[in-house]
Amino acid sequence: MTNSGSSEAPRVLVGDDLPVPCVDGIDRPYVNLDIAASASALPAVARGVEDFVPWYSSVHRGAGFKSREATRRYEAARSAIASFAGPDRAERGDVAIIVRNTTEAINHLVYRLRIEPTDTVVTTVVEHHANLLPWTRVCRPRFVECGTDGTFGVDDVVAAIEAGNKPRILALTGASNVSGWMPPLDEIIAAAHDRGVPVFVDAAQLAPHRPIPAAADFVAWSGHKMYAPYGAGALVGPRRAFEEGDPFLVGGGAVDLVDLDAVYWTSPPDREEAGSPNVIGAVALGLAIDELTAIGWSTITEHDDLLTRRLRDGLAAIDGVQVLGPTQGTLPLAAFTVDGVHHALVAARLSAEFGIGVRHGCFCAHPYLLRLLGLDHDTVHAYRDAVLRGDRRDIPGAVRASAGISTTPADVDRLITAVEAIVHGGPAPVTYEQDAETGDFWPRSDAPGWGDAERSVGASCARG
Ligand code: PMP
């Protein structure tokens, strides 16, 4: 893959094109179409991490030169995170908290907002479990429903906000990890603010593709989805939300004074980051932000739009393939089903025969996927009973192909040709067996990488 103009990928990621074994014994360059799950590192991120490793040291805990340097780099990453969340965040007095990932950020936020069982939160049926379960654990949210195309409008959000008690917060995704749909965030945030309701945006999918809406009160995202796969994420929000009360995690670094019967918490962000931080992850996230900023949103959006059309139109044109969700306003991502072929078998064949990596299953968004698939009540109950008995063979699902900054039109074409071959190309060259416990398929083959001994590292995508 080369950097040769707007129709080509603007950057090549570490590990792109690695040869992977296929069941015919041939190694093929890997086509990574599972970028929405985790993206490989940008070269500048990998190089920057390598350069930083010799300087790795304790953060905010040492007078030595290396500690000072590690602290400087950690705090520089924090500044980059705050600016990435919106140009005027610093002036607004927002604080950037460095966490593990989006899931941790949302659990952190729910704890810090002190959501009570009697509180009202508005969220949507489109959410990833990470933006569903932390809220439903503590209260009964009001949900914004979606239509059969998997979208909702500003009016639907307003109706949910106004349907009862004033919500403490509206929590919604910036982009769906299932359909790639981007809700009209600016209008939704403005409508919520007009009604005095603060907004949290789950930017896990949005962050590598579009600017984070500066008007959102709270935002969270993960480094590993934006080409910084070293385990750091961010939660950004108003400082006042973190100034009172005990933090989510308690321990060293979060306090000014401790006695056996008293504690004086320090100020945010340190108050929110007890324990030694993941300084390498933070540095990597800062570097990825610098790199994406240098590439620029217009280059990224242009590349995304080209791939989105090619991917979604190409798949939709195959007889027997259904692309889920709306036809417009999505990221370069497509979840699809193949008539008469199990989603896990499609994913297994793409990997084993074509060297293409996709995700399949329910994508940690069960309520949304069931709606997009339009499953009736009896089907849902039947598969749930089976799963509770430990049998995942009939779990509903789809296949998801997702593209990123280094995906080329040729990568997308390879997927489309492979799906076409699976649907219309006659029987598979090898037999595939389904595992009842995971629901996954595995080829019967002696080819390198595909023997029975390798089977334990199967996809298990049915879990989520
Ligand atoms: N929200 C969305 C929309 C996601 O796609 C994901 C990851 N699939 C998450 C939240 C959770 O992110 P993480 O696993 O990095 O915590």
Side-chain angles (χ1 to χ4, degrees):
M1 296 182 204
T2 50
N3 178 11
S4 60
S6 63
S7 66
E8 284 293 317
R11 290 294 188 276
V12 178
L13 303 178
V14 177
D16 274 352
D17 283 339
L18 271 180
V20 293
C22 294
V23 280
D24 56 4
I26 295 174
D27 285 358
R28 290 182 172 77
Y30 187 59
V31 175
N32 183 8
L33 291 175
D34 197 14
I35 291 170
S38 278
S40 304
L42 278 160
V45 172
R47 277 195 307 273
V49 164
E50 212 172 295
D51 293 346
F52 175 67
V53 167
W55 295 97
Y56 170 81
S57 188
S58 64
V59 166
H60 286 306
R61 283 163 173 78
F65 192 86
K66 284 201 355 176
S67 285
R68 279 171 44 204
E69 181 58 12
T71 303
R72 186 185 70 73
R73 293 294 303 273
Y74 186 74
E75 291 305 327
R78 191 193 305 287
S79 300
I81 290 167
S83 316
F84 189 72
D88 62 345
R89 293 264 175 198
E91 294 92 86
R92 273 157 54 184
D94 279 7
V95 65
I97 299 161
I98 299 174
V99 295
R100 275 196 309 148
N101 51 33
T102 310
T103 304
E104 183 176 302
I106 301 173
N107 279 276
H108 192 136
L109 178 63
V110 172
Y111 184 83
R112 276 323 242 123
L113 292 178
R114 305 283 191 263
I115 303 291
E116 301 280 344
T118 49
D119 283 331
T120 300
V121 166
V122 171
T123 184
T124 87
V125 298
V126 169
E127 305 308 313
H128 186 281
H129 296 164
N131 198 25
L132 211 53
L133 301 179
W135 305 105
T136 57
R137 179 158 70 171
V138 292
C139 71
R140 283 176 60 101
R142 274 204 303 269
F143 291 101
V144 181
E145 255 304 339
C146 67
T148 50
D149 69 344
T151 74
F152 50 76
V154 182
D155 291 352
D156 301 311
V157 179
V158 168
I161 288 174
E162 292 180 341
N165 295 345
K166 184 173 156 191
R168 291 274 315 275
I169 194 161
L170 164 68
L172 88 162
T173 191
S176 159
N177 63 311
V178 180
S179 64
W181 177 57
M182 289 173 280
L185 282 181
D186 292 341
E187 291 94 317
I188 290 173
I189 293 168
H193 285 173
D194 283 349
R195 289 156 183 83
V197 177
V199 180
F200 163 72
V201 171
D202 167 1
Q205 292 298 336
L206 191 72
H209 295 281
R210 296 288 188 281
I212 288 174
D217 302 84
F218 298 91
V219 289
W221 73 94
S222 303
H224 71 99
K225 292 187 196 289
M226 54 175 289
Y227 316 103
Y230 298 90
L235 169 63
V236 182
R239 179 172 295 271
R240 65 176 180 284
F242 304 99
E243 274 175 339
E244 301 295 329
D246 66 317
F248 178 52
L249 289 178
V250 297
V255 298
D256 284 331
L257 291 169
V258 175
D259 208 337
L260 294 184
D261 56 2
V263 52
Y264 295 87
W265 305 109
T266 196
S267 320
D270 294 351
R271 185 187 189 116
E272 304 302 310
E273 294 181 3
S276 300
N278 173 8
V279 53
I280 291 200
V283 166
L285 180 50
L287 289 164
I289 287 171
D290 292 348
E291 203 52 10
L292 287 185
T293 308
I295 293 167
W297 290 119
S298 61
T299 305
I300 293 170
T301 308
E302 193 186 334
H303 178 65
D304 278 356
D305 290 348
L306 175 89
L307 293 178
T308 305
R309 285 278 50 90
R310 199 155 180 134
L311 177 65
R312 297 181 74 93
D313 294 351
L315 287 168
I318 302 173
D319 196 22
V321 170
Q322 325 298 333
V323 178
L324 306 181
T327 51
Q328 298 293 327
T330 73
L331 296 178
L333 177 161
F336 61 97
T337 56
V338 175
D339 295 348
V341 190
H342 197 291
H343 52 94
L345 180 57
V346 176
R349 290 194 60 187
L350 287 172
S351 175
E353 295 166 40
F354 302 93
I356 299 173
V358 293
R359 182 155 181 208
H360 71 89
C362 302
F363 316 114
C364 304
H366 290 189
Y368 189 40
L369 190 73
L370 295 184
R371 283 165 171 76
L372 288 171
L373 292 173
L375 296 183
D376 62 49
H377 181 268
D378 290 349
T379 311
V380 170
H381 276 270
Y383 96 75
R384 282 187 177 162
D385 286 348
V387 169
L388 294 176
R389 287 195 312 270
D391 182 347
R392 290 189 172 79
R393 280 175 303 179
D394 290 333
I395 196 157
V399 182
R400 181 187 71 189
S402 54
I405 204 161
S406 77
T407 311
T408 63
D411 294 334
V412 172
D413 294 348
R414 232 175 98 183
L415 171 81
I416 289 161
T417 307
V419 174
E420 176 81 48
I422 290 171
V423 184
H424 299 297
V430 291
T431 308
Y432 287 80
E433 285 167 356
Q434 192 178 23
D435 181 293
E437 199 188 324
T438 63
D440 287 330
F441 287 80
W442 186 258
R444 211 187 283 154
S445 165
D446 294 331
W450 294 102
D452 266 356
E454 262 92 10
R455 194 172 176 145
S456 59
V457 291
S460 295
C461 281
R463 291 199 170 88

